[in-house]
């Protein structure tokens, strides 16, 4: 009965060969692909498993080694390029074995194995007796052969052959077993893979080494007999030491996690702006610096480097020992108190709204502010000393706390907070009275990646731009403030002569031959230390701290993260620039400021005080020569220098006009509220 069934089946298959071109094309199962992450130079840095948890890489046939293609065809289907759909020689051999020697053989071809690998059979069909299933398999293989080219079928086979429940295809198997790409494998390693695919469990080199070795020797001998390899190659292949690594060497794991957590990944290939070689160089440089500081209990760092010209993220490192599961926290996207990092933005706003200039002076003396709950807030400088009267250029370059708080008080908190939101600080989601004047120093928590982005307005001539992480992203920039104001901050924080009053000569923040914009911060208890800088080509951010929050020891404010930074600057920037001086001539820019009432300020009626005594004194500052001035309140001229609250509207507009020889020469407005 078996003999007649097989003869009948072969007859039917031959007949169907005539009508096969009219069969509907089989749609092969789409096995989900992994996502490959590349750097800007096409260096692969990571492979993200598919949503099904599979490791499956799609390669073009030309990307597979010629030797692998040759041995696969020779061992799996010698006449692959010559038969139309089934191998008649193998069919005849299987026929004889099944009829006379009762050895069950399937006469498989690459096409029939593709059918099996793609799960085309339904559950009902897979339960049929082997010869009935084989007939159906041949019919499907016939369909494949009529609708696909041979090279297409070989590519499908190489990509989709399962090596386990997770790894599909020779490319993924090579990563799993050897920690290397398929193009980098030796001839012996390719034959090892070919040995395994017949039955990954039965021929496992780990759990069933004897079975594996027996089949490996058999395949190698067969290749030598068929002149695919020489006898010398055969000996070398059989003698090569078996070395399975079981895990592909992934690069920059923090970039992989950053992409997975912040992007909706759908493509099988993503090219990032990250520079792998630069990342490794910077990482090695930072580790060298950290090793020198280890005796001071300094152990960790985070680094961001952005290309100023292209706005591309080139380096993001956020854990020196990332393999430690307890440390895999991305500090660049975590909320941290910015401390003095907001000061340049306060000065920037003061230059615009308060008509201040770098040469404007301010008193750095003890000061007290009354809080909403009637407590006293007394800001102190980091040094606990006072500088008396200083220019704004000096106070910003020395990062003095008291002048920064006083400027924020003049600006008014709500006005500054709205400015920060324009700079896309999405983490600042509370009202102004929650942050209050301590916003200048410590009360807020911001996303440090957003903080770096905000500093882009200094590095890129007033433009706030999206940092590009995926290649081919379009530039997205918005003008936030005029360039003349960002230039003022840039000149202060990039000029060596201002830094020397605060940082020692030849320290890590003193660049004799470069123009480097620098803003730093160090906690008073020496638990962390970070800085944002940029040079002519790169914006750089370095933060150093210990994951266990242990205090650093014997560190100064110019060591630590700043030592890493200086090494990075000289690695990235080989040019020599002579720093410029700054002209502090107070006559350089005309200004007129209403200092009472401050713009955007709010006055609350105090019911415990008679309303007749609740007055606002009108005050202004200017360096403009004038003969007379006029106050205008809500478009009406007023003579009195005091405003009584009971006579004011809820929303008020105050304007001062300077006159010379009865001609209006300058004016300034202020808006304030009464509640």
């Amino acid at each position: 009965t078996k003999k007649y069934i097989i003869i009948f089946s072969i007859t039917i298959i031959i007949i169907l060969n005539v009508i096969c071109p009219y069969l509907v094309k089989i749609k092969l199962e789409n096995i989900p692909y992994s996502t490959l992450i590349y750097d800007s130079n096409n260096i692969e840095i990571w492979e993200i498993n598919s949503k099904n948890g599979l490791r499956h890489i799609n390669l073009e046939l030309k990307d597979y080694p010629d030797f692998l293609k040759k041995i696969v065809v020779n061992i799996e289907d010698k006449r692959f390029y010559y038969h139309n759909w089934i191998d008649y020689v193998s069919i005849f051999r299987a026929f004889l074995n099944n009829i006379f020697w009762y050895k069950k053989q399937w006469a498989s071809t690459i096409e029939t194995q593709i059918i099996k690998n793609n799960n085309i059979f339904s559950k009902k069909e897979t339960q049929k007796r082997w010869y009935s299933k084989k007939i159906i398999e041949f019919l499907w293989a016939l369909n494949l052969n009529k609708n696909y080219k041979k090279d297409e079928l070989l590519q499908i086979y190489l990509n989709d052959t399962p090596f386990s429940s997770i790894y599909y295809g020779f490319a993924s198997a090579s990563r799993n077993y050897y920690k290397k790409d398929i193009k980098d494998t030796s001839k012996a390693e390719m034959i090892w893979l070919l040995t395994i695919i017949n039955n990954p469990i039965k021929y496992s080199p780990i759990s069933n080494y004897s079975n594996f070795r027996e089949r490996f020797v058999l395949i190698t001998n067969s290749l030598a007999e068929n002149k695919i390899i020489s006898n010398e190659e055969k000996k070398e292949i059989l003698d090569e030491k078996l070395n399975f690594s079981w895990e592909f060497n992934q690069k920059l794991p923090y970039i992989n996690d950053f992409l997975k957590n912040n992007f909706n990944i759908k493509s099988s290939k993503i090219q990032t702006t990250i520079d792998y070689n630069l990342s490794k160089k910077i990482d090695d440089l930072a580790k060298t610096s950290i090793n020198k500081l280890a005796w001071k209990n300094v152990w960790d760092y985070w680094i961001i480097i952005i290309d100023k010209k292209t706005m591309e993220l080139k380096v993001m490192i956020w854990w020196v020992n990332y393999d430690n599961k307890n440390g895999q926290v991305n500090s660049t996207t975590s909320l941290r108190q910015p401390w003095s990092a907001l000061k340049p933005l306060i000065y920037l706003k003061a230059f615009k709204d308060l008509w201040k200039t770098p040469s404007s002076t301010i008193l750095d003396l003890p000061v007290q502010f009354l809080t909403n709950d009637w407590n006293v807030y007394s800001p102190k400088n980091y040094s606990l000393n006072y500088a008396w009267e200083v220019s704004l250029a000096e106070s910003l370059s020395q990062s003095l706390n008291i002048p920064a708080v006083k400027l924020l008080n003049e600006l008014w908190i709500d006005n500054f907070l709205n400015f920060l939101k324009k700079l896309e600080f999405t983490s600042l989601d509370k009202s102004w009275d929650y942050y209050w004047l301590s916003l200048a120093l410590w009360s807020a928590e911001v996303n440090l990646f957003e903080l770096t982005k905000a500093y882009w307005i200094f590095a890129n001539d007033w433009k706030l731009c999206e940092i590009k992480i995926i290649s081919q992203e379009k530039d997205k920039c918005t003008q936030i403030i005029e360039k003349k104001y960002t230039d003022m901050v840039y000149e202060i924080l990039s000029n060596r002569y201002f830094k020397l009053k605060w940082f020692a000569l030849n320290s890590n923040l003193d660049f004799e031959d470069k123009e480097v914009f620098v803003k730093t911060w160090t906690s008073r208890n020496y638990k962390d230390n970070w800085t944002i800088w940029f040079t002519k080509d790169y914006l750089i951010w370095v933060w150093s701290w210990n994951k266990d929050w242990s205090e650093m020891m014997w560190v100064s404010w110019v060591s630590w993260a700043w030592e890493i930074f200086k090494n990075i600057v000289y690695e990235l920037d080989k040019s020599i620039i002579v720093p410029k001086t700054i002209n502090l001539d107070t006559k350089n820019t005309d200004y007129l400021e209403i200092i009472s009432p401050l713009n955007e300020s709010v006055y609350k009626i105090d019911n415990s005080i008679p309303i007749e005594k609740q007055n606002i004194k009108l005050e202004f500052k200017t360096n403009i020569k004038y003969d007379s001035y006029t106050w205008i309140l809500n478009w009406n001229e007023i003579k009195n220098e005091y405003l009584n609250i009971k006579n004011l509207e809820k929303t008020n507009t105050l304007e001062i006009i300077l006159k010379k020889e009865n001609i209006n020469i300058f004016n300034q407005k202020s808006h304030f509220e009464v509640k």
Side-chain angles (χ1 to χ4, degrees):
T1 302
K2 184 186 300 183
K3 178 172 64 176
Y4 290 118
I5 289 175
I6 293 176
I7 293 173
F8 175 76
S9 300
I10 293 174
T11 304
I12 292 297
I13 290 171
I14 294 173
I15 294 173
L16 287 174
N17 193 31
V18 179
I19 64 172
C20 185
Y22 302 100
L23 296 176
V24 177
K25 182 178 180 180
I26 294 177
K27 184 177 181 181
L28 296 175
E29 180 184 13
N30 184 21
I31 302 173
Y33 290 117
S34 305
T35 298
L36 298 182
I37 309 298
Y38 292 86
D39 84 334
S40 57
N41 299 309
N42 286 317
I43 297 175
E44 184 189 329
I45 56 178
W46 201 265
E47 177 186 351
I48 301 177
N49 290 18
S50 71
K51 291 183 178 179
N52 294 27
L54 302 181
R55 291 287 181 92
H56 181 212
I57 297 173
N58 182 36
L59 292 185
E60 298 291 331
L61 187 63
K62 62 181 176 59
D63 296 327
Y64 280 103
D66 291 336
F67 181 76
L68 177 63
K69 292 180 279 189
K70 189 182 295 185
I71 65 173
V72 165
V73 171
N74 185 268
I75 298 300
E76 297 298 311
D77 190 355
K78 284 186 177 65
R79 283 165 287 277
F80 172 67
Y81 282 101
Y82 303 103
H83 61 68
N84 288 329
W85 55 289
I86 59 173
D87 188 344
Y88 293 104
V89 176
S90 297
I91 285 284
F92 183 71
R93 184 177 64 246
F95 172 79
L96 294 178
N97 280 322
N98 280 287
I99 297 300
F100 299 105
W101 292 283
Y102 297 96
K103 294 180 180 179
K104 187 180 293 186
Q105 289 189 351
W106 287 39
S108 293
T109 62
I110 285 179
E111 288 93 338
T112 58
Q113 292 184 66
I114 290 174
I115 297 297
K116 289 185 292 183
N117 293 342
N118 279 267
N119 298 321
I120 290 177
F121 289 116
S122 66
K123 184 176 180 181
K124 182 178 180 181
E125 287 170 329
T126 57
Q127 293 173 348
K128 293 180 180 179
R129 298 187 63 183
W130 74 271
Y131 47 81
S132 301
K133 184 172 65 176
K134 196 65 182 177
I135 293 171
I136 299 172
E137 183 181 295
F138 282 158
L139 291 175
W140 284 123
L142 177 61
N143 183 293
L144 281 181
N145 203 77
K146 291 297 182 181
N147 289 288
Y148 292 87
K149 296 178 181 178
K150 287 291 186 178
D151 282 352
E152 290 178 322
L153 292 172
L154 181 58
Q155 178 178 310
I156 292 170
Y157 178 77
L158 292 172
N159 281 335
D160 293 356
T161 296
F163 282 80
S164 69
S165 59
I166 297 176
Y167 295 94
Y168 277 71
F170 282 81
S172 289
S174 174
R175 292 156 173 266
N176 175 51
Y177 292 120
Y178 310 134
K179 257 188 181 179
K180 62 176 72 171
D181 288 318
I182 189 67
K183 62 182 175 61
D184 298 323
T185 53
S186 67
K187 290 183 177 180
E189 289 170 332
M190 294 181 205
I191 298 174
W192 291 342
L193 292 179
L194 193 57
T195 303
I196 297 168
I197 61 171
N198 191 264
N199 190 324
I201 298 177
K202 180 179 179 180
Y203 298 110
S204 168
I206 304 301
S207 57
N208 290 301
Y209 180 76
S210 59
N211 289 344
F212 166 82
R213 184 66 187 180
E214 181 181 351
R215 179 167 169 78
F216 170 64
V217 172
L218 183 66
I219 290 175
T220 305
N221 288 333
S222 175
L223 292 173
E225 291 171 5
N226 288 286
K227 309 299 182 184
I228 303 300
I229 57 175
S230 65
N231 288 329
E232 290 77 13
E233 287 178 312
K234 169 187 168 182
K235 184 178 185 308
E236 291 176 1
I237 289 170
L238 292 175
D239 291 343
E240 187 169 325
K241 184 180 178 181
L242 186 66
N243 184 20
F244 286 95
S245 298
W246 293 103
E247 183 180 355
F248 186 64
N249 187 21
Q250 309 274 36
K251 307 176 181 74
L252 308 184
Y254 27 80
I255 298 299
N256 165 56
D257 287 352
F258 179 76
L259 291 173
K260 286 197 299 184
N261 294 334
N262 294 278
F263 293 88
N264 183 16
I265 298 175
K266 295 181 179 180
S267 174
S268 61
K269 177 181 178 180
I270 293 178
Q271 185 166 32
T272 68
T273 61
I274 298 296
D275 188 325
Y276 170 71
N277 290 327
L278 179 61
S279 297
K280 290 299 294 178
K281 185 180 293 185
I282 296 300
D283 200 18
D284 291 341
L285 184 152
K287 284 178 180 175
T288 301
S289 300
I290 282 289
N291 289 337
K292 293 179 180 178
L293 294 168
W295 68 281
K296 297 182 179 181
N297 197 41
V298 180
W299 296 107
D300 212 348
Y301 55 83
W302 281 262
I303 300 171
I304 287 178
I305 298 178
I306 299 169
D307 189 310
K308 279 178 59 180
K309 296 177 182 176
T310 62
M311 297 174 288
E312 294 177 342
L313 179 66
K314 290 299 180 183
V315 176
M316 176 189 277
I317 301 171
W318 33 281
W319 182 234
V320 67
N321 184 23
Y322 193 80
D323 292 333
N324 183 341
K325 298 295 183 181
N326 295 327
Q328 294 182 8
V329 176
N330 186 349
S331 66
T332 67
T333 56
S334 301
L335 295 180
R336 291 284 298 154
Q337 290 178 334
W339 296 87
S340 60
L342 294 183
K343 288 178 184 174
L345 301 174
I346 293 174
Y347 282 77
L348 175 65
K349 193 67 172 167
F351 291 151
K352 180 181 185 299
D353 291 2
L354 304 179
W355 289 71
K356 304 284 186 182
T357 67
S359 59
S360 300
T361 60
I362 193 168
L363 289 178
D364 178 38
L365 291 172
V367 65
Q368 293 182 339
F369 298 94
L370 195 63
T371 67
N372 290 337
D373 53 0
W374 301 99
N375 289 318
V376 174
Y377 172 54
S378 301
K380 291 180 173 55
N381 293 326
Y382 187 87
S383 65
L384 300 180
N385 295 321
Y386 305 99
W388 291 81
E389 185 177 15
V390 293
S391 68
L392 294 190
E394 291 171 315
S395 63
L396 176 56
S397 64
Q398 297 175 34
S399 195
L400 300 177
N401 291 341
I402 294 173
V405 175
K406 292 174 73 174
L407 284 175
L408 179 59
N409 184 55
E410 285 191 61
L411 284 169
W412 189 236
I413 307 156
D414 198 26
N415 179 28
F416 180 61
L417 187 60
N418 289 333
F419 177 62
L420 294 181
K421 291 178 179 178
K422 284 185 179 180
L423 293 174
E424 300 185 8
F425 282 95
T426 57
S427 49
L428 297 175
D429 55 359
K430 297 179 175 60
S431 62
W432 66 268
D433 52 349
Y434 172 86
Y435 301 109
W436 203 60
L437 289 175
S438 55
L439 178 64
L441 302 177
W442 56 267
S443 64
E445 285 190 330
V446 301
N447 180 311
L448 296 176
F449 195 73
E450 293 175 345
L451 182 60
T452 306
K453 177 181 173 182
Y455 267 67
W456 197 265
I457 63 174
F458 302 121
N460 202 32
D461 293 340
W462 56 258
K463 287 181 287 188
L464 180 70
C465 300
E466 293 291 338
I467 299 171
K468 290 189 284 190
I469 302 166
I470 306 297
S471 293
Q472 309 305 320
E473 285 184 315
K474 295 182 179 179
D475 294 350
K476 298 178 182 177
C477 297
T478 306
Q479 181 175 354
I480 299 297
I481 196 168
E482 294 90 332
K483 182 178 182 298
K484 63 181 179 180
Y485 301 118
T486 56
D487 281 351
M488 292 178 187
V489 177
Y490 176 85
E491 289 180 350
I492 294 170
L493 293 181
S494 63
N495 193 277
R496 182 192 185 205
Y497 302 103
F498 283 115
K499 296 193 195 86
L500 290 179
K501 293 184 179 180
W502 183 243
F503 303 112
L505 188 70
N506 298 321
S507 70
N508 286 322
L509 294 182
D510 176 31
F511 294 89
E512 183 180 6
D513 56 351
K514 299 186 186 304
E515 188 171 275
V516 181
F517 180 104
V518 179
K519 186 68 196 79
T520 67
W521 174 76
T522 301
S523 61
R524 189 174 298 280
N525 56 12
Y526 294 107
K527 285 189 175 181
D528 60 341
N529 162 257
W530 58 266
T531 310
I532 293 176
W533 306 270
F534 60 83
T535 64
K536 67 183 184 65
D537 294 317
Y538 294 97
L539 189 150
I540 309 164
W541 173 66
V542 179
W543 180 25
S544 181
W545 73 311
N546 290 336
K547 202 70 178 179
D548 60 2
W549 281 103
S550 59
E551 294 183 14
M552 285 50 165
M553 300 178 292
W554 310 295
V555 291
S556 69
W557 52 80
V558 290
S559 61
W560 207 350
W562 303 337
E563 181 170 330
I564 299 175
F565 163 69
K566 187 162 190 175
N567 292 334
I568 292 174
V569 169
Y570 280 103
E571 177 63 36
L572 296 178
D573 189 358
K574 308 297 183 184
S575 63
I576 296 177
I577 300 173
V578 179
K580 299 177 297 185
T581 59
I582 294 180
N583 184 2
L584 291 182
D585 184 1
T586 56
K587 299 179 182 179
N588 194 37
T589 303
D590 292 337
Y591 67 92
L592 170 63
E593 308 170 29
I594 298 177
I595 60 174
S596 177
L598 286 172
N599 188 42
E600 303 297 338
S601 57
V602 178
Y603 292 87
K604 294 184 178 181
I605 297 175
D606 189 345
N607 294 324
S608 63
I609 300 175
I611 198 166
E612 293 80 9
K613 295 184 178 181
Q614 298 184 47
N615 298 317
I616 301 172
K617 184 180 180 181
L618 303 182
E619 294 183 85
F620 70 93
K621 287 183 179 180
T622 185
N623 65 348
I624 301 169
K625 293 183 178 180
Y626 64 93
D627 295 334
S628 61
Y629 61 88
T630 300
W631 289 104
I632 297 177
L633 176 66
N634 298 329
W635 298 277
N636 295 313
E637 183 177 341
I638 57 175
K639 302 295 184 182
N640 200 338
E641 296 289 323
Y642 290 87
L643 301 177
N644 189 265
I645 286 183
K646 72 175 182 179
N647 298 323
L648 297 174
E649 306 290 339
K650 289 185 177 180
T651 302
N652 301 273
T653 299
L654 180 69
E655 180 180 10
I656 186 170
I657 301 174
L658 302 184
K659 299 181 179 182
K660 191 171 185 179
E661 297 178 355
N662 291 322
I663 298 176
N664 296 346
I665 58 172
F666 227 94
N667 72 306
Q668 179 67 24
K669 290 184 179 180
S670 174
H671 304 279
F672 64 98
E673 297 180 11
V674 175
K675 293 184 178 181

